[in-house]
Each structure stands twice: as structure tokens, then as C-alpha cells.
Amino acid sequence: MKATAPGAFRAQTPVLFDRASDFIARNTFERPTLVLELDRVGVQYDALKSGLGDAHIHYAVKANPDPRIIALLVAKGSHFDCASRAEIELCLAQGARADQISFGNTIKRGSDIAFAASQGVTLFAADAPEELEKIAQHAGGARVYLRVIVENSQADWPLSRKFGAARGHILTLLEQGRALGLDMVGLSFHVGSQTRKAEFWGPVLDQIASVWDAAQEAGFDLGLLNIGGGFPAFYGEAVDAPTFYAADVMRQVRARFGDVAVIAEPGRGMVAEAGHIVAEVLLAARKSPLDLHRWVYLDIGKFSGLAETMDEAIRYEFVTDKDSGEMGPCVLAGPSCDSADVLYEKQPVQLPLALCAGDRVIIRNCGAYTTTYATIGFNGFPPLDVVVI
């Protein structure tokens, strides 16, 4: 692929027509439903792979573990980042090889480590002394990469300090792992979910490079860099097209780390744009005639698929049949009897003033973190139906 100058990457634009939208337009739905276009996942994989070059894609299974997605990606040669025994079993059942799977959760049950090792999985993540001891006990000699806490993330959904070890602690963990007989192969990090611009990776990569260089100077021959996820989806605000975004990230990686083996773990950027949710307005009302904003209640909320509206971090696009009319701000909420089930209040959503109960609402680009980021039926409201086309 011919190199493109930094800053010359074209912006991702919304898809005005796609098979999922067409299917939704031609059908009726009795309850909230995700319509997922499988071919679109393949298109996104190819686009990201083109930009990432010789880096291995380890699809973040948690983003959408539909077996049909896994089977498609197996056929394309993808590798997989798994967070649990169940995800490992899912990938193996769809034809993935054990050497295509990394056990990327840094918090693992010992018996699950043993299971993974028994199936032939050899690559594990860790960020703490006890985790290294568990891996050594249940998967002796395994290849291990250490997750590093990074700061100054400019992602829409920055990740917390739940995962990763402080940079100053990495050399100690590398020494411990080596003493336990583990093959300490490299480092990993996560720049934060929905990092909309590739340029935001620079300061984070600088942090990791300093740790990497210190480890090399201390005698650790690291050879694997796991750059995690962060590849963005289109939610109405321009992002670089996936091939150009991934190529820019890899340009920055190579500038700092040279010809090291690289793993990338796209999840959202792989599947979000492949699906849209069909929802329905249950109620549109004001709490008082003096209220500035209406409240619009949908038949889907935080507990039935839209958990990523927490703190209003991910701001979905909403489309209705009345969008040609006058628009106005509203507070958007879900249907459950929990006061936390409010989707957008700090930044009200612009919706048609004529919107009323029974109207259909399409929530665009919801293929990631919706089908499983949900209860099994809080308040009796069912989890999402899923239609794959």
C-alpha cells in the first residue's frame, strides 16, 4: 500500500444506505431488535487488516460474541482476544485454532487458565504477582505479556485503573515472571475505547516506549507489543476511515518500536457499524408545563442493551420517520423502574417535536457492546432480539 502523509487521511462518512437499514425499513418488530449485516463485519475486517499490515488482528470477542461473527472471522484468518473460558470455547467451536487465541483478561480463575492450556492456548495476559503465579502453576512455561496502565487517554470511553500495572512496577513483574519459568514476551496497553483520532495514540505510545526501552536495557528481550483496541466507530462525529486510521497508528508504532511483532484487538471498530437497533417510543411527556425539555422513553434502556450510555460516553445516532419536522431537545430514558435508566440528560438529544408513543426509532451503529451488555430480563423487559442478515 502506498504510504499516505500524516494528516491526509480521509474522514469516515455515514453510510446512507445499507442492507441492515433496508431490512429494517421492510419489516416490523414486536420488541427491540438488533439487525446485523454480517458482510459488513467482513468489510471492516478487511479495511482494518489493510491498514494494520503485518500486525495480527485479535478480535475482541466481548464486543459481539455472535457465533456467526466468529465463524466469519475464523474464515478470514483472524485471531481472537478472549476474556473467559466461555469465549475460548466459543472460538474453538467455530474452528479457531488454539494458537490463534490469547487469554487477554488479567483476572482469571486458575481452573480456566488450566483449561486454556489444556486446549493449546499459550499466550496469556497478566498485571500482578499473583496472576503470574497462577499462570506458572496452571500453564507452566506459557508466553505472557504484561498490561501497563496508561494515562492521558483522549478516548470517549477512557479505561479505568482496573487493569494494568504501574509503569514503575513492570520490571519487577518481568523479573518475577522469568523466575517462575514463564516466557515474558512483551507488553500490552489499551489507549481507551472510541479513540476518534489516530493522533491521540502518540502520547500513550510514548509512555509504553519508555517502559519498553527500560525493559530492554534491563536484559529482557521483548518481542511482542499488544496495542489493544480503541479503533473507533462512526456515531455521527467524523472519524478517520478504518484503513487510514490503522495505517497511521502503525506508522506511529513502527517509529517507536521498529520491527516488533504487533497484536491489535479491534472490537467496536470491527462490528459497531454492522448493526442498527429498532426501538419504539413508549412515552413522550414533560414533567411540568414549565419544563424546557421533554422526556422521551424508549422500550430499550441501559439494562437491555444500551449500557454504554453510562456517563453519556457513547452518543448514538437516532433516526425517526419524523426527522423532517421541527426538532427539539429531550431527555432520553429507558423503560425500567430504575432511576438510573436515563440515557442522555446532561446533553439532551435532538428529536422531532411530533414524536409520540408508538413511533419507531432507529439507533444506528449498535453492533458492538449491546447484545451481551444487558441483563437477562430486569423488570421483565427482554434482552435484545438479534437478526443476522
Side-chain angles (χ1 to χ4, degrees):
M1 183 180 71
K2 185 179 179 180
T4 307
F9 304 132
R10 61 186 174 89
Q12 176 72 52
T13 55
V15 176
L16 299 179
F17 176 84
D18 56 61
R19 289 178 56 215
S21 293
D22 181 59
F23 183 91
I24 290 169
R26 293 186 290 103
N27 290 275
T28 59
F29 304 86
E30 295 298 320
R31 63 190 205 181
T33 302
L34 171 68
V35 178
L36 188 76
E37 181 184 345
L38 195 58
D39 288 348
R40 183 65 186 277
V41 177
V43 169
Q44 290 294 105
Y45 175 87
D46 292 342
L48 286 168
K49 182 60 180 173
S50 179
L52 288 167
D54 58 359
H56 284 297
I57 289 180
H58 282 229
Y59 170 61
V61 177
K62 60 182 176 290
N64 190 321
D66 190 289
R68 290 158 290 193
I69 290 176
I70 305 303
L72 170 71
L73 295 177
V74 167
K76 284 188 168 290
S78 180
H79 294 209
F80 299 90
D81 165 53
C82 294
S84 65
R85 172 173 176 163
E87 289 188 352
I88 292 172
E89 291 175 328
L90 168 65
C91 292
L92 293 173
Q94 297 305 315
R97 302 189 313 269
D99 64 358
Q100 294 174 310
I101 295 172
S102 56
F103 204 160
N105 193 342
T106 60
I107 306 165
K108 300 178 287 295
R109 189 187 302 273
S111 59
D112 291 345
I113 296 172
F115 168 79
S118 74
Q119 299 301 304
V121 176
T122 62
L123 185 59
F124 297 82
D127 65 3
E130 189 176 18
E131 193 70 17
L132 291 172
E133 293 169 2
K134 284 190 290 181
I135 295 172
Q137 178 182 353
H138 298 287
R143 300 163 62 226
V144 176
Y145 57 85
L146 296 176
R147 180 158 173 174
V148 185
I149 294 174
V150 294
E151 300 170 353
N152 302 320
S153 171
Q154 297 183 67
D156 287 356
W157 189 294
L159 301 183
S160 71
R161 290 170 54 86
K162 179 179 179 181
F163 301 105
R167 283 174 280 166
H169 191 41
I170 294 298
L171 290 184
T172 299
L173 292 175
L174 287 170
E175 291 168 357
Q176 179 189 3
R178 185 164 60 183
L180 289 168
L182 297 170
D183 185 6
M184 306 303 291
V185 295
L187 304 178
S188 76
F189 66 95
H190 200 300
V191 71
S193 195
Q194 189 65 8
T195 298
R196 285 179 288 102
K197 296 183 179 181
E199 66 191 63
F200 293 166
W201 286 67
V204 173
L205 287 169
D206 287 340
Q207 295 172 44
I208 299 300
S210 67
V211 179
W212 184 277
D213 292 343
Q216 298 283 16
E217 291 173 5
F220 294 97
D221 186 20
L222 303 183
L224 177 67
L225 179 67
N226 184 340
I227 65 174
F231 300 86
F234 181 79
Y235 293 122
E237 189 170 356
V239 295
D240 289 337
T243 297
F244 296 90
Y245 182 102
D248 193 355
V249 170
M250 286 303 295
R251 177 186 60 79
Q252 297 178 70
V253 168
R254 293 302 180 204
R256 292 165 174 82
F257 298 91
D259 192 27
V260 64
V262 176
I263 285 175
E265 298 175 340
R268 183 188 310 282
M270 189 88 78
V271 296
E273 296 178 28
H276 315 307
I277 289 175
V278 189
E280 182 180 322
V281 176
L282 298 182
L283 176 67
R286 296 181 189 270
K287 301 295 184 183
S288 159
L290 301 178
D291 277 358
L292 295 176
H293 304 318
R294 300 161 295 154
W295 283 67
V296 173
Y297 300 88
L298 303 179
D299 62 351
I300 182 174
K302 280 184 179 176
F303 306 111
S304 48
L306 300 183
E308 287 204 309
T309 60
M310 180 173 57
D311 297 327
E312 305 189 15
I314 300 299
R315 296 192 63 85
Y316 295 109
E317 285 187 280
F318 299 89
V319 178
T320 81
D321 291 335
K322 297 179 176 179
D323 287 350
S324 60
E326 186 178 356
M327 309 290 280
C330 70
V331 177
L332 198 62
S336 72
C337 297
D338 192 309
S339 59
D341 194 10
V342 177
L343 309 179
Y344 301 113
E345 183 174 14
K346 296 176 183 177
Q347 299 181 61
V349 177
Q350 294 289 324
L351 288 174
L353 295 180
L355 207 63
C356 61
D359 286 340
R360 174 187 280 194
V361 175
I362 310 302
I363 311 172
R364 292 187 55 82
N365 297 346
C366 290
Y369 301 109
T370 51
T371 58
T372 54
Y373 230 159
T375 69
I376 59 173
F378 177 57
N379 271 182
F381 295 105
L384 277 173
D385 278 351
V386 179
V387 175
V388 177
I389 59 173

